[in-house]
Amino acid sequence: MRNPTDRETPVPPKTMTIKLPTGWFYGALIVILSAWILNSFLQAMLAACVTAIASWPLYTRFAARLPRCIGRNSSSLIFTLALTIFVLAPLMFAFGALLSEAHALLSAIAVADKKGIAVPQGLENAPLIGPWLAARWQSQLASPGALLTWTQRTDAAALVPWAQSLGQFTVRHAFIIFFTVLLLFFLYQEGESLAAGFRRVLRRCLGEHADGFADLATRAVRASVNSMLVVALFDGLASGVAYAIVGVPHAAVWAAVTGLLALVPFLGYVAVGALALQLAMTVTTTPPLLALGLGCFVLFCGDKVVRPVVACNGVRLRFVWVLMGCLGGFEVLGLIGLVIGPVVLTLARELWEQRVRDLAVVDVTDSNPQVSQSA
């Protein structure tokens, strides 16, 4: 018998340890370091991937119709250059036209300031703040040389940070465009092998549902890109009709500029604002506020109505989710976020529905033991 006075040696509690292979640690370290190094190229990589996925059917048709003597490198280079010109040339035209109109507008303002800038037509009749704006305009800008005096009082040093920010913005986006084109050429060359490897890794991670997720993401990307093109076309045509109805001078040019800049969110409003300023500074029969209101209304309908309606057919999301995906993606990733946002929400919705279906199958199996035994 054990002596009651003897003390039992306490047994240390068992602890559960998780042992991971050493390769996992080094692999994760390499992935983290790679992501850190390529962080500055994230937007360019996403833009190149989205462009390659959206234009891949066109590229395959283009490459199939080329002579056999032209290799893959040459076909990829030709298609990349053609696509770059097709995308950038209209945007360069829009920016050039906008700069030209801005120069003409500044010249008109300088000439008008010598005699005093008259209150724009219809400003007093604007609802709510129209009379207040007209009174402020009359007191600040209607007297000769008022604008020149106001600009002379402005501190030139305060404009330096704005100029630096604009320069950094321009250099940054030129950097993104250059590497997007370079990566796009690489993706056209190696796209088939990269897609096959990606699907193989995805099958290992997600199992039998991997191909469905990949196909869904591809359709969502193409639907989002198509929605951007449709919105630009809608904004150009609708604004052209609106400008022609109210009698805007050079309505076709302004409609083209508005539609092309509408490819980039909020840039279309810059074109509409420049048009309203030009109408305010020149003697025309078109009320500037009417042109401004119509242009903003067209852009609002394109961004908030046409884009989600067109995109929802491919991404299979309701209107509000497509809208939030576009706006949230643009806030996080910029222009490319307009495509990535709805795609991510589409994949999240598919993961949720797949999980619900799997749990429903488990519940049915647990409630019917005979089914599980027979299986």
Side-chain angles (χ1 to χ4, degrees), residues 291-310:
L292 178 64
L294 288 175
C296 292
F297 177 74
V298 169
L299 293 175
F300 179 83
C301 292
D303 285 333
K304 305 303 186 292
V305 179
V306 177
R307 189 190 305 276
V309 169
V310 175

PDB file of all heavy atoms in Angstrom, residues 291-310:
ATOM      1  N   ALA A 291     -25.297  73.603 -69.376  1.00  0.00           N
ATOM      2  CA  ALA A 291     -24.337  72.643 -69.926  1.00  0.00           C
ATOM      3  C   ALA A 291     -23.644  71.854 -68.814  1.00  0.00           C
ATOM      4  O   ALA A 291     -23.427  70.643 -68.932  1.00  0.00           O
ATOM      5  CB  ALA A 291     -23.302  73.372 -70.780  1.00  0.00           C
ATOM      6  N   LEU A 292     -23.302  72.540 -67.715  1.00  0.00           N
ATOM      7  CA  LEU A 292     -22.669  71.857 -66.584  1.00  0.00           C
ATOM      8  C   LEU A 292     -23.603  70.819 -65.976  1.00  0.00           C
ATOM      9  O   LEU A 292     -23.187  69.678 -65.691  1.00  0.00           O
ATOM     10  CB  LEU A 292     -22.267  72.885 -65.527  1.00  0.00           C
ATOM     11  CG  LEU A 292     -21.620  72.343 -64.250  1.00  0.00           C
ATOM     12  CD1 LEU A 292     -20.291  71.690 -64.560  1.00  0.00           C
ATOM     13  CD2 LEU A 292     -21.431  73.462 -63.226  1.00  0.00           C
ATOM     14  N   GLY A 293     -24.857  71.169 -65.792  1.00  0.00           N
ATOM     15  CA  GLY A 293     -25.808  70.234 -65.206  1.00  0.00           C
ATOM     16  C   GLY A 293     -26.060  69.030 -66.094  1.00  0.00           C
ATOM     17  O   GLY A 293     -26.097  67.886 -65.611  1.00  0.00           O
ATOM     18  N   LEU A 294     -26.216  69.260 -67.396  1.00  0.00           N
ATOM     19  CA  LEU A 294     -26.452  68.137 -68.309  1.00  0.00           C
ATOM     20  C   LEU A 294     -25.235  67.215 -68.379  1.00  0.00           C
ATOM     21  O   LEU A 294     -25.378  65.986 -68.381  1.00  0.00           O
ATOM     22  CB  LEU A 294     -26.799  68.671 -69.694  1.00  0.00           C
ATOM     23  CG  LEU A 294     -28.177  69.307 -69.862  1.00  0.00           C
ATOM     24  CD1 LEU A 294     -28.332  69.887 -71.258  1.00  0.00           C
ATOM     25  CD2 LEU A 294     -29.283  68.282 -69.588  1.00  0.00           C
ATOM     26  N   GLY A 295     -24.043  67.811 -68.460  1.00  0.00           N
ATOM     27  CA  GLY A 295     -22.844  66.978 -68.519  1.00  0.00           C
ATOM     28  C   GLY A 295     -22.660  66.137 -67.265  1.00  0.00           C
ATOM     29  O   GLY A 295     -22.346  64.938 -67.349  1.00  0.00           O
ATOM     30  N   CYS A 296     -22.863  66.743 -66.101  1.00  0.00           N
ATOM     31  CA  CYS A 296     -22.734  65.986 -64.844  1.00  0.00           C
ATOM     32  C   CYS A 296     -23.805  64.907 -64.734  1.00  0.00           C
ATOM     33  O   CYS A 296     -23.542  63.807 -64.220  1.00  0.00           O
ATOM     34  CB  CYS A 296     -22.811  66.937 -63.652  1.00  0.00           C
ATOM     35  SG  CYS A 296     -21.393  68.052 -63.509  1.00  0.00           S
ATOM     36  N   PHE A 297     -24.990  65.199 -65.211  1.00  0.00           N
ATOM     37  CA  PHE A 297     -26.065  64.202 -65.167  1.00  0.00           C
ATOM     38  C   PHE A 297     -25.727  62.997 -66.050  1.00  0.00           C
ATOM     39  O   PHE A 297     -25.941  61.842 -65.660  1.00  0.00           O
ATOM     40  CB  PHE A 297     -27.377  64.835 -65.617  1.00  0.00           C
ATOM     41  CG  PHE A 297     -28.528  63.863 -65.674  1.00  0.00           C
ATOM     42  CD1 PHE A 297     -29.139  63.410 -64.514  1.00  0.00           C
ATOM     43  CD2 PHE A 297     -28.994  63.395 -66.899  1.00  0.00           C
ATOM     44  CE1 PHE A 297     -30.189  62.498 -64.565  1.00  0.00           C
ATOM     45  CE2 PHE A 297     -30.041  62.491 -66.961  1.00  0.00           C
ATOM     46  CZ  PHE A 297     -30.642  62.044 -65.796  1.00  0.00           C
ATOM     47  N   VAL A 298     -25.187  63.245 -67.236  1.00  0.00           N
ATOM     48  CA  VAL A 298     -24.801  62.151 -68.125  1.00  0.00           C
ATOM     49  C   VAL A 298     -23.695  61.304 -67.495  1.00  0.00           C
ATOM     50  O   VAL A 298     -23.748  60.061 -67.504  1.00  0.00           O
ATOM     51  CB  VAL A 298     -24.351  62.709 -69.483  1.00  0.00           C
ATOM     52  CG1 VAL A 298     -23.697  61.616 -70.326  1.00  0.00           C
ATOM     53  CG2 VAL A 298     -25.537  63.299 -70.238  1.00  0.00           C
ATOM     54  N   LEU A 299     -22.691  61.953 -66.925  1.00  0.00           N
ATOM     55  CA  LEU A 299     -21.599  61.206 -66.293  1.00  0.00           C
ATOM     56  C   LEU A 299     -22.079  60.419 -65.091  1.00  0.00           C
ATOM     57  O   LEU A 299     -21.635  59.280 -64.849  1.00  0.00           O
ATOM     58  CB  LEU A 299     -20.484  62.178 -65.873  1.00  0.00           C
ATOM     59  CG  LEU A 299     -19.732  62.870 -67.013  1.00  0.00           C
ATOM     60  CD1 LEU A 299     -18.759  63.896 -66.458  1.00  0.00           C
ATOM     61  CD2 LEU A 299     -19.003  61.860 -67.875  1.00  0.00           C
ATOM     62  N   PHE A 300     -22.986  61.010 -64.325  1.00  0.00           N
ATOM     63  CA  PHE A 300     -23.538  60.308 -63.157  1.00  0.00           C
ATOM     64  C   PHE A 300     -24.293  59.064 -63.595  1.00  0.00           C
ATOM     65  O   PHE A 300     -24.134  57.983 -62.996  1.00  0.00           O
ATOM     66  CB  PHE A 300     -24.448  61.248 -62.377  1.00  0.00           C
ATOM     67  CG  PHE A 300     -25.094  60.616 -61.175  1.00  0.00           C
ATOM     68  CD1 PHE A 300     -24.416  60.537 -59.976  1.00  0.00           C
ATOM     69  CD2 PHE A 300     -26.373  60.085 -61.248  1.00  0.00           C
ATOM     70  CE1 PHE A 300     -24.991  59.940 -58.869  1.00  0.00           C
ATOM     71  CE2 PHE A 300     -26.962  59.486 -60.148  1.00  0.00           C
ATOM     72  CZ  PHE A 300     -26.271  59.418 -58.949  1.00  0.00           C
ATOM     73  N   CYS A 301     -25.106  59.181 -64.640  1.00  0.00           N
ATOM     74  CA  CYS A 301     -25.851  58.017 -65.129  1.00  0.00           C
ATOM     75  C   CYS A 301     -24.904  56.945 -65.662  1.00  0.00           C
ATOM     76  O   CYS A 301     -25.133  55.743 -65.462  1.00  0.00           O
ATOM     77  CB  CYS A 301     -26.824  58.448 -66.218  1.00  0.00           C
ATOM     78  SG  CYS A 301     -28.187  59.474 -65.633  1.00  0.00           S
ATOM     79  N   GLY A 302     -23.827  57.372 -66.337  1.00  0.00           N
ATOM     80  CA  GLY A 302     -22.887  56.393 -66.854  1.00  0.00           C
ATOM     81  C   GLY A 302     -22.164  55.626 -65.760  1.00  0.00           C
ATOM     82  O   GLY A 302     -22.027  54.397 -65.825  1.00  0.00           O
ATOM     83  N   ASP A 303     -21.702  56.345 -64.723  1.00  0.00           N
ATOM     84  CA  ASP A 303     -20.937  55.704 -63.649  1.00  0.00           C
ATOM     85  C   ASP A 303     -21.821  54.889 -62.708  1.00  0.00           C
ATOM     86  O   ASP A 303     -21.431  53.802 -62.262  1.00  0.00           O
ATOM     87  CB  ASP A 303     -20.170  56.753 -62.846  1.00  0.00           C
ATOM     88  CG  ASP A 303     -18.965  57.274 -63.607  1.00  0.00           C
ATOM     89  OD1 ASP A 303     -18.438  56.531 -64.456  1.00  0.00           O
ATOM     90  OD2 ASP A 303     -18.564  58.425 -63.369  1.00  0.00           O
ATOM     91  N   LYS A 304     -22.985  55.431 -62.367  1.00  0.00           N
ATOM     92  CA  LYS A 304     -23.799  54.827 -61.315  1.00  0.00           C
ATOM     93  C   LYS A 304     -24.921  53.930 -61.829  1.00  0.00           C
ATOM     94  O   LYS A 304     -25.505  53.175 -61.050  1.00  0.00           O
ATOM     95  CB  LYS A 304     -24.413  55.931 -60.439  1.00  0.00           C
ATOM     96  CG  LYS A 304     -23.398  56.892 -59.848  1.00  0.00           C
ATOM     97  CD  LYS A 304     -22.354  56.167 -59.036  1.00  0.00           C
ATOM     98  CE  LYS A 304     -21.423  57.140 -58.319  1.00  0.00           C
ATOM     99  NZ  LYS A 304     -20.559  57.886 -59.229  1.00  0.00           N
ATOM    100  N   VAL A 305     -25.236  54.007 -63.123  1.00  0.00           N
ATOM    101  CA  VAL A 305     -26.330  53.195 -63.663  1.00  0.00           C
ATOM    102  C   VAL A 305     -25.838  52.258 -64.762  1.00  0.00           C
ATOM    103  O   VAL A 305     -25.998  51.037 -64.674  1.00  0.00           O
ATOM    104  CB  VAL A 305     -27.472  54.102 -64.194  1.00  0.00           C
ATOM    105  CG1 VAL A 305     -28.590  53.253 -64.787  1.00  0.00           C
ATOM    106  CG2 VAL A 305     -28.021  54.982 -63.085  1.00  0.00           C
ATOM    107  N   VAL A 306     -25.220  52.830 -65.797  1.00  0.00           N
ATOM    108  CA  VAL A 306     -24.833  52.011 -66.947  1.00  0.00           C
ATOM    109  C   VAL A 306     -23.740  51.018 -66.572  1.00  0.00           C
ATOM    110  O   VAL A 306     -23.813  49.832 -66.927  1.00  0.00           O
ATOM    111  CB  VAL A 306     -24.374  52.917 -68.107  1.00  0.00           C
ATOM    112  CG1 VAL A 306     -23.891  52.077 -69.286  1.00  0.00           C
ATOM    113  CG2 VAL A 306     -25.514  53.824 -68.538  1.00  0.00           C
ATOM    114  N   ARG A 307     -22.703  51.475 -65.848  1.00  0.00           N
ATOM    115  CA  ARG A 307     -21.599  50.584 -65.501  1.00  0.00           C
ATOM    116  C   ARG A 307     -22.063  49.375 -64.675  1.00  0.00           C
ATOM    117  O   ARG A 307     -21.746  48.238 -65.031  1.00  0.00           O
ATOM    118  CB  ARG A 307     -20.515  51.357 -64.752  1.00  0.00           C
ATOM    119  CG  ARG A 307     -19.233  50.570 -64.547  1.00  0.00           C
ATOM    120  CD  ARG A 307     -18.294  51.295 -63.582  1.00  0.00           C
ATOM    121  NE  ARG A 307     -18.005  52.642 -64.002  1.00  0.00           N
ATOM    122  CZ  ARG A 307     -17.062  52.970 -64.880  1.00  0.00           C
ATOM    123  NH1 ARG A 307     -16.337  52.022 -65.430  1.00  0.00           N
ATOM    124  NH2 ARG A 307     -16.865  54.225 -65.199  1.00  0.00           N
ATOM    125  N   PRO A 308     -22.804  49.561 -63.580  1.00  0.00           N
ATOM    126  CA  PRO A 308     -23.257  48.376 -62.839  1.00  0.00           C
ATOM    127  C   PRO A 308     -24.198  47.479 -63.634  1.00  0.00           C
ATOM    128  O   PRO A 308     -24.152  46.253 -63.507  1.00  0.00           O
ATOM    129  CB  PRO A 308     -23.965  48.979 -61.611  1.00  0.00           C
ATOM    130  CG  PRO A 308     -23.386  50.333 -61.462  1.00  0.00           C
ATOM    131  CD  PRO A 308     -23.125  50.801 -62.850  1.00  0.00           C
ATOM    132  N   VAL A 309     -25.064  48.071 -64.479  1.00  0.00           N
ATOM    133  CA  VAL A 309     -25.997  47.255 -65.256  1.00  0.00           C
ATOM    134  C   VAL A 309     -25.251  46.376 -66.254  1.00  0.00           C
ATOM    135  O   VAL A 309     -25.553  45.190 -66.412  1.00  0.00           O
ATOM    136  CB  VAL A 309     -27.017  48.158 -65.981  1.00  0.00           C
ATOM    137  CG1 VAL A 309     -27.809  47.364 -67.005  1.00  0.00           C
ATOM    138  CG2 VAL A 309     -27.969  48.782 -64.975  1.00  0.00           C
ATOM    139  N   VAL A 310     -24.242  46.931 -66.916  1.00  0.00           N
ATOM    140  CA  VAL A 310     -23.475  46.147 -67.884  1.00  0.00           C
ATOM    141  C   VAL A 310     -22.606  45.114 -67.180  1.00  0.00           C
ATOM    142  O   VAL A 310     -22.492  43.959 -67.626  1.00  0.00           O
ATOM    143  CB  VAL A 310     -22.613  47.082 -68.755  1.00  0.00           C
ATOM    144  CG1 VAL A 310     -21.719  46.284 -69.692  1.00  0.00           C
ATOM    145  CG2 VAL A 310     -23.513  48.010 -69.560  1.00  0.00           C
TER     146      VAL A 310
END
